[in-house]
Amino acid sequence: MASFARSAARLQPAVRLATRNNVTRRTMATQTPPRAASAATAQQVSSHSSAEESLFPGEPTGPSIRTQIPGPKALEAIGKLDKTFETRSLNMMCNYQDSFGNYIADVDGNVLLDVYAQIASIPVGYSNPNLMQAAMSPQMISAIINRPAMGNFPQHDWAEILETGMLRVAPKGLNQVLTATAGSDANELAYKAAFMWKAQQRRGSYNADFSAEDIESSMNNQTPGSPNMSILSFKTGFHGRLFGSLSTTRSKPIHKLDIPAFDWPQASFPALKYPLEDHVQENAKEEQRCLEEFEHVLTTFHSPPAAIIVEPIQSEGGDNHASPAFFQGLRAITKKHDVLMIVDEVQTGVGATGKFWAHDHWNLQDPPDMVTFSKKAQAAGYYFGNPELRPNKPYRQFNTWLGDPARALLFRAIIDEIERLNLVENTASTGAYLYSGLESLAQKYPKEIQNLRGKGQGTFIAWDSPRRDEVLKKAKGEGINIGGSGAMAVRLRPMLIFQKRHADILLEGLERVMKT
Amino acid sequence: MASFARSAARLQPAVRLATRNNVTRRTMATQTPPRAASAATAQQVSSHSSAEESLFPGEPTGPSIRTQIPGPKALEAIGKLDKTFETRSLNMMCNYQDSFGNYIADVDGNVLLDVYAQIASIPVGYSNPNLMQAAMSPQMISAIINRPAMGNFPQHDWAEILETGMLRVAPKGLNQVLTATAGSDANELAYKAAFMWKAQQRRGSYNADFSAEDIESSMNNQTPGSPNMSILSFKTGFHGRLFGSLSTTRSKPIHKLDIPAFDWPQASFPALKYPLEDHVQENAKEEQRCLEEFEHVLTTFHSPPAAIIVEPIQSEGGDNHASPAFFQGLRAITKKHDVLMIVDEVQTGVGATGKFWAHDHWNLQDPPDMVTFSKKAQAAGYYFGNPELRPNKPYRQFNTWLGDPARALLFRAIIDEIERLNLVENTASTGAYLYSGLESLAQKYPKEIQNLRGKGQGTFIAWDSPRRDEVLKKAKGEGINIGGSGAMAVRLRPMLIFQKRHADILLEGLERVMKT
């Protein structure tokens, strides 16, 4: 025991050194201009909201484009990697040790403002010094090298890590958590909890025994032990790409083709018209239509749903929004028919919509039954409140690792950073600023920015573009890394440290793209 | 860029400090006797093979039992954790910073020889100083805090991490890898690769287009787009607990009950009789019977298999072995019918059987099509060789993280440690020594040790015990942490640094349990 503690004690100076060094870096970086500025850089540095204090001191002051992307070094590295690993979906060959704050660097020395952020997964900036400190802590080092089988042999400080970390930000009404390794895994574990809950309900009570027929048939993948039940999801929704989660994913054929799927039900997600204020009646009617269809499918589908799963904003599927009233309707209908409601906050959670959880915008009377998370949390899992969602026997919800304490420690450091810098509030106000800038751009370039959406949803903003792929590509040349979603949406997924100064750079870059 | 590198440079002294400290710890630990020895400790320290050089200098010299397990502090910690997290499968409440080498510590100060090792997942000892050094490297710190979406934005050194790490130990004939987050995820990604491969084969060529009907039906989870295909697995096999992997898992009803499953085929795994040398003909006949049944199911099942999946030794299902001839038969039959063969090395891989991969024991002419790994690798994924197992289009095999570079870095450090200490050879020779000791015990206590198995399979040894659960519990009192599998098997899954001295402690402890 003494030994690890001593290692820890000896580590302290290192942590201090690194911290001091980060201060040094910050000073250095703010004093030193970014690398030999390209045309793009020079243009972009001009218009920062200079009064605003930086949330990430020392990050670059603007993008810097040196080569085509991919540049010569990237092409060489891609060629090398392609021999052993998939590269056809490769977007940039990055150097993360050169990436700071909102800026991502590639191997050719290009530095881009990153409003895609690893598909919405980087919350508080690349090479964040406080996360670095957490990564060097003795707790983290032990978590990395002594990974426990958490269901059998949890570590002594697991309760504390949960309480001071992910449970501190648990959605209202949900005070328990099960950890997983990624978003699709989190969703599937939630589905399993739902199926076990519903099966016990069918048996008459939480503690009812399995029948001999249940036991025998389950081993042959047959009913009733492998029951005829389902999870209802929404058209154009995305919930992951494992076999259960993919059966609920309805985003694109390329995600689903050739993979066997469960015959599970789907219902329409509202297709709202924009701007919302010009289509109030029409949109309310559309949501009402979807709620009716939903209730019909829920109550008549041949394989009865144990739960529904829904994203607060359908992300991969094209940034499709619905009103709080729609979600309140879903909650009421699921309650009425005793079906669980799982809210998939894998992409929307952890602050990006200007609230910690996107479903906080709904003001639900009854909380969702389960809320899944991953991405910006860097840890994954699901929250729940009802104790009967803990399966009635041990080893029903179990696997070797049950998540990763190292990632739980990182989530805790992320939460600390979010609170320290008021990043949810920052995202709400920066989002409002950015949205307003985009509204102006949309007036100027109405063909380029259609169906602008995400007002009041922090920086979780998107619009449709008839030449989307070209826009994304040209934006790189302007020093901005942006992602798409659905068929023609440009989706913004900046980090929580994205500020007005970055919004200015983004807006100017977008305008240059739209002019050409 | 300069900044992270500077941080790295400043970190170097920390690494040196920690390394020096580990040396200090070793010296200290070998000089200091373990904590106030209990009766168990005193008994156990006596019989070490003292000539043998320790592979983990500084680990405790024997177990030390201070309280009942769980002790008072554990009970308190369990009560606290239970409020928010599942604890009914809890086995010990551990302190990993107090755990060294082959010894696991709990919160009450009990120190046990660990031959279960986080369900076969700790390869080179708790708090291994070389892994600690890897965990403190700038590369690891960046991997922890800057987790990339590997399919879109891989890091510049990913090819190098693969080549100097997991690809260095790639199974013969397989030179490519896809990374995942856990064993069940790895298996499901392999299934997806198999389904896409088979579907293209059905379409006539690797590059054949999807039909409009495929595209449309896939979005409704219907054939032909969601095809009527399957993965064949073996009775009592275990391949994970997500929806696709669980459909191939046939271990125990508690793993499967109430979870919808695909109607996929299963075939019998040989039930060999022990000792093998006394049942040569009978066992050969049993394997022949299973091969015939296998071929029959493979060719007649209503949902045609795209692949089969098989464990070299069925682990969770009770440590069921089969001969190389059986696996050669599987390979020949799958080749004959153009069905892929996936070998699930999640539990058997990375040295435990006395070869790096358990299927190295088979001397196959044609390698398996895919080999999955996790657990002791600490990273997960599947190896493959055939370039047509890379799906024909990008984004078919894709998810946000596609594994975890932090865990890939750790696997590399594990491989370095395995090579430095010749741990595969160590496991082969220690396994032979241990097996021979268990044979003697079995002669002395024939009712306690039945069907001893794993000869020549390193330390991957198991036997049946009519009072298995009691034996596991009593072993804890003797300072030994052991796991079970199947209905009545005691399974040994020590680390690769398990030596004769530990085998002696284990054998003596087991004898004390068997005497009572």
Side-chain angles (χ1 to χ4, degrees):
Chain A
M1 176 169 74
S3 319
F4 207 106
R6 256 166 221 241
S7 290
R10 303 269 178 121
L11 261 176
Q12 291 312 314
V15 174
R16 278 198 296 274
L17 263 179
T19 312
R20 211 186 314 141
N21 183 48
N22 282 318
V23 175
T24 311
R25 174 168 71 69
R26 291 171 190 175
T27 316
M28 200 189 72
T30 41
Q31 286 172 349
T32 314
R35 294 174 187 147
S38 69
T41 312
Q43 282 173 301
Q44 286 154 344
V45 176
S46 57
S47 61
H48 291 161
S49 308
S50 53
E52 178 189 64
E53 202 181 328
S54 172
L55 294 172
F56 201 101
E59 71 173 1
T61 50
S64 164
I65 298 302
R66 301 176 151 204
T67 70
Q68 294 256 326
I69 298 175
K73 287 185 187 167
L75 288 172
E76 192 189 326
I78 294 167
K80 192 177 166 196
L81 179 59
D82 187 64
K83 287 178 193 143
T84 55
F85 198 80
E86 172 67 73
T87 64
R88 287 165 305 169
S89 53
L90 195 144
N91 189 316
M92 281 171 64
M93 180 62 85
C94 301
N95 187 324
Y96 293 102
Q97 294 185 36
D98 289 1
S99 302
F100 294 98
N102 291 280
Y103 291 88
I104 189 168
D106 78 0
V107 288
D108 291 287
N110 298 299
V111 176
L112 286 78
L113 177 66
D114 190 1
V115 296
Y116 195 25
Q118 307 303 321
I119 320 182
S121 297
I122 298 290
V124 293
Y126 293 114
S127 306
N128 179 297
N130 289 321
L131 298 200
M132 197 182 283
Q133 200 154 348
M136 294 189 300
S137 70
Q139 259 187 318
M140 180 70 85
I141 291 165
S142 180
I144 292 288
I145 66 177
N146 298 322
R147 187 171 187 177
M150 292 294 298
N152 282 164
F153 303 94
Q155 56 193 77
H156 67 288
D157 51 0
W158 187 232
E160 186 216 327
I161 293 169
L162 295 177
E163 278 161 29
T164 58
M166 61 181 79
L167 284 170
R168 213 164 97 214
V169 295
K172 217 172 100 183
L174 311 184
N175 61 354
Q176 301 190 51
V177 72
L178 194 82
T179 40
T181 56
S184 51
D185 180 29
N187 283 339
E188 296 212 351
L189 292 178
Y191 298 174
K192 289 179 71 172
F195 286 126
M196 291 186 263
W197 171 84
K198 179 56 85 179
Q200 288 308 123
Q201 210 184 43
R202 285 183 176 183
R203 288 190 183 98
S205 83
Y206 176 71
N207 283 313
D209 281 337
F210 310 124
S211 71
E213 196 191 358
D214 287 339
I215 290 170
E216 200 191 320
S217 58
S218 75
M219 294 302 289
N220 296 320
N221 295 5
Q222 302 293 326
T223 57
S226 299
N228 181 30
M229 287 201 267
S230 64
I231 304 291
L232 182 152
S233 61
F234 289 88
K235 290 176 189 171
T236 57
F238 183 92
H239 305 288
R241 301 184 61 168
L242 299 167
F243 285 82
S245 47
L246 187 60
S247 293
T248 56
T249 282
R250 311 283 182 169
S251 43
K252 291 177 187 158
I254 198 74
H255 298 157
K256 291 175 68 72
L257 272 157
D258 299 340
I259 311 301
F262 291 108
D263 185 15
W264 288 354
Q266 56 185 326
S268 295
F269 194 82
L272 302 188
K273 292 201 173 156
Y274 293 87
L276 293 176
E277 52 274 28
D278 298 347
H279 301 86
V280 173
Q281 296 289 72
E282 211 175 340
N283 286 338
K285 209 172 141 190
E286 164 69 356
E287 292 195 337
Q288 190 51 42
R289 181 189 72 81
C290 288
L291 285 173
E292 283 162 21
E293 179 188 321
F294 166 73
E295 186 165 18
H296 177 76
V297 176
L298 188 75
T299 51
T300 60
F301 193 77
H302 58 77
S303 179
I308 72 159
I309 185 160
V310 67
E311 296 159 277
I313 301 164
Q314 289 190 329
S315 307
E316 181 63 29
D319 273 50
N320 309 314
H321 294 247
S323 75
F326 175 73
F327 294 103
Q328 290 158 9
L330 293 183
R331 176 72 288 194
I333 295 166
T334 49
K335 279 274 173 197
K336 177 176 160 195
H337 297 292
D338 216 4
V339 167
L340 300 176
M341 180 173 179
I342 304 169
V343 177
D344 178 341
E345 291 251 26
V346 167
Q347 188 152 168
T348 53
V350 191
T353 68
K355 299 208 183 258
F356 200 94
W357 301 106
H359 77 269
D360 292 340
H361 288 280
W362 305 341
N363 294 311
L364 291 183
Q365 271 201 312
D366 300 301
D369 296 288
M370 290 181 264
V371 173
T372 60
F373 61 95
S374 184
K375 286 197 181 265
K376 278 195 187 60
Q378 293 281 308
Y382 65 87
Y383 295 104
F384 64 106
N386 180 353
E388 298 209 344
L389 287 177
R390 258 195 222 195
N392 64 344
K393 290 188 190 337
Y395 288 104
R396 300 196 72 185
Q397 189 72 299
F398 187 87
N399 58 59
T400 299
W401 285 328
L402 274 180
D404 185 344
R407 295 294 170 187
L409 286 167
L410 195 72
F411 190 13
R412 182 169 73 177
I414 289 166
I415 293 165
D416 287 345
E417 194 70 348
I418 289 173
E419 292 195 350
R420 183 178 74 84
L421 296 170
N422 281 316
L423 293 181
V424 180
E425 293 76 358
N426 171 66
T427 301
S429 63
T430 306
Y433 177 84
L434 173 61
Y435 189 89
S436 144
L438 287 164
E439 268 185 323
S440 305
L441 261 192
Q443 283 175 348
K444 224 163 147 185
Y445 305 96
K447 269 176 61 185
E448 297 285 346
I449 299 190
Q450 301 175 6
N451 303 319
L452 181 64
R453 48 204 187 269
K455 190 175 187 173
Q457 300 287 318
T459 54
F460 214 97
I461 296 171
W463 62 88
D464 293 330
S465 164
R467 52 170 188 139
R468 190 262 314 269
D469 293 347
E470 188 190 338
V471 167
L472 300 186
K473 195 167 174 201
K474 284 194 170 163
K476 278 219 171 53
E478 299 295 338
I480 300 167
N481 182 42
I482 318 187
S485 64
M488 58 189 295
V490 176
R491 66 170 150 173
L492 303 184
R493 293 295 176 273
M495 305 167 193
L496 307 178
I497 53 163
F498 186 81
Q499 296 180 272
K500 296 192 176 79
R501 67 181 69 197
H502 308 108
D504 288 341
I505 293 173
L506 171 62
L507 290 163
E508 288 167 29
L510 283 171
E511 180 154 15
R512 282 195 303 277
V513 170
M514 285 165 191
K515 271 183 185 159
T516 58
Chain B
M1 175 171 72
S3 320
F4 207 107
R6 257 167 221 244
S7 292
R10 301 270 179 123
L11 262 175
Q12 289 314 312
V15 174
R16 277 197 297 275
L17 263 178
T19 310
R20 212 186 315 138
N21 183 47
N22 281 318
V23 174
T24 311
R25 173 169 73 68
R26 291 172 191 172
T27 316
M28 202 188 72
T30 39
Q31 286 172 347
T32 313
R35 295 173 187 147
S38 69
T41 311
Q43 283 175 302
Q44 286 155 344
V45 175
S46 58
S47 62
H48 290 160
S49 306
S50 53
E52 179 188 64
E53 202 182 329
S54 172
L55 293 172
F56 201 101
E59 71 172 0
T61 50
S64 164
I65 298 302
R66 300 177 152 202
T67 71
Q68 294 256 326
I69 297 175
K73 286 186 187 166
L75 287 171
E76 192 189 325
I78 293 167
K80 192 177 166 196
L81 179 58
D82 187 64
K83 287 179 193 141
T84 54
F85 198 81
E86 171 67 71
T87 64
R88 287 166 304 170
S89 53
L90 195 143
N91 189 317
M92 283 172 63
M93 180 63 86
C94 302
N95 187 324
Y96 293 102
Q97 294 184 38
D98 289 1
S99 302
F100 294 98
N102 290 279
Y103 291 88
I104 188 168
D106 78 359
V107 288
D108 291 287
N110 298 299
V111 175
L112 286 78
L113 177 66
D114 190 1
V115 295
Y116 195 26
Q118 308 303 320
I119 320 182
S121 297
I122 299 289
V124 293
Y126 293 115
S127 305
N128 179 297
N130 290 321
L131 297 199
M132 197 181 283
Q133 201 155 347
M136 295 190 299
S137 70
Q139 258 188 318
M140 179 71 85
I141 292 165
S142 180
I144 292 289
I145 67 177
N146 298 322
R147 188 173 186 176
M150 292 295 298
N152 282 165
F153 302 94
Q155 55 193 77
H156 67 289
D157 50 1
W158 186 233
E160 185 216 328
I161 292 169
L162 296 177
E163 278 161 27
T164 58
M166 60 182 80
L167 284 170
R168 214 165 94 214
V169 294
K172 218 172 100 185
L174 311 184
N175 61 354
Q176 302 191 50
V177 72
L178 194 81
T179 41
T181 57
S184 51
D185 180 29
N187 283 340
E188 296 212 352
L189 292 178
Y191 298 174
K192 289 179 71 172
F195 286 126
M196 292 186 261
W197 172 85
K198 179 56 84 176
Q200 289 308 124
Q201 209 184 43
R202 284 183 178 184
R203 288 190 183 98
S205 83
Y206 176 71
N207 282 313
D209 282 338
F210 310 125
S211 71
E213 194 190 359
D214 288 338
I215 290 170
E216 201 191 319
S217 58
S218 75
M219 293 303 288
N220 296 320
N221 295 6
Q222 302 293 327
T223 57
S226 299
N228 181 31
M229 286 201 269
S230 63
I231 304 290
L232 182 151
S233 61
F234 289 88
K235 289 177 190 170
T236 56
F238 183 92
H239 304 288
R241 300 184 60 169
L242 299 167
F243 285 81
S245 46
L246 187 60
S247 293
T248 55
T249 282
R250 312 281 181 170
S251 43
K252 290 176 188 160
I254 199 74
H255 298 158
K256 292 176 68 73
L257 272 156
D258 299 340
I259 310 303
F262 292 108
D263 185 14
W264 287 353
Q266 56 185 325
S268 295
F269 194 82
L272 302 189
K273 292 200 173 156
Y274 292 86
L276 293 177
E277 51 273 29
D278 297 346
H279 301 85
V280 173
Q281 297 288 72
E282 211 175 341
N283 287 338
K285 209 172 143 190
E286 164 69 356
E287 292 195 337
Q288 190 52 42
R289 181 190 73 81
C290 290
L291 285 173
E292 281 162 21
E293 179 189 323
F294 166 73
E295 185 164 17
H296 178 74
V297 176
L298 188 75
T299 51
T300 59
F301 193 76
H302 59 77
S303 180
I308 72 159
I309 185 160
V310 67
E311 297 159 274
I313 301 164
Q314 288 190 331
S315 307
E316 181 63 29
D319 273 51
N320 310 314
H321 295 245
S323 74
F326 175 73
F327 294 104
Q328 289 159 11
L330 293 183
R331 177 71 287 194
I333 294 167
T334 49
K335 278 275 173 194
K336 177 176 161 194
H337 297 291
D338 217 3
V339 167
L340 299 176
M341 179 172 179
I342 304 169
V343 176
D344 178 341
E345 291 250 25
V346 167
Q347 187 153 167
T348 52
V350 191
T353 67
K355 299 209 182 255
F356 200 95
W357 301 106
H359 77 269
D360 291 341
H361 288 279
W362 305 341
N363 293 312
L364 291 183
Q365 271 202 313
D366 299 301
D369 295 289
M370 290 181 265
V371 172
T372 61
F373 60 95
S374 184
K375 288 197 182 265
K376 278 195 188 61
Q378 294 281 308
Y382 66 87
Y383 295 104
F384 64 106
N386 179 353
E388 298 209 343
L389 287 177
R390 259 195 221 193
N392 64 345
K393 290 188 192 336
Y395 288 104
R396 300 196 72 184
Q397 188 72 298
F398 187 86
N399 59 58
T400 298
W401 284 328
L402 274 180
D404 185 344
R407 295 295 171 186
L409 286 167
L410 195 71
F411 190 14
R412 182 170 71 179
I414 289 166
I415 293 165
D416 287 345
E417 194 70 348
I418 289 174
E419 292 195 350
R420 183 178 73 85
L421 297 169
N422 282 315
L423 293 181
V424 179
E425 291 78 358
N426 171 67
T427 301
S429 63
T430 306
Y433 177 84
L434 174 61
Y435 189 88
S436 143
L438 286 165
E439 269 186 322
S440 304
L441 261 192
Q443 284 175 346
K444 222 162 150 186
Y445 304 96
K447 270 176 62 184
E448 297 285 345
I449 299 190
Q450 301 175 5
N451 303 318
L452 180 65
R453 48 205 187 269
K455 190 174 186 174
Q457 300 287 318
T459 56
F460 215 97
I461 296 171
W463 62 89
D464 294 330
S465 164
R467 51 170 190 141
R468 191 261 315 268
D469 292 348
E470 189 191 338
V471 167
L472 300 186
K473 197 170 173 197
K474 284 195 170 161
K476 278 219 170 51
E478 299 294 340
I480 299 168
N481 182 42
I482 318 188
S485 64
M488 58 190 295
V490 176
R491 67 169 149 174
L492 303 184
R493 293 294 177 272
M495 305 167 192
L496 308 179
I497 53 162
F498 186 81
Q499 295 180 272
K500 296 193 176 80
R501 66 180 71 196
H502 308 108
D504 288 340
I505 293 172
L506 171 61
L507 289 164
E508 287 167 29
L510 283 171
E511 179 154 17
R512 282 195 303 276
V513 169
M514 286 166 191
K515 271 184 189 159
T516 59

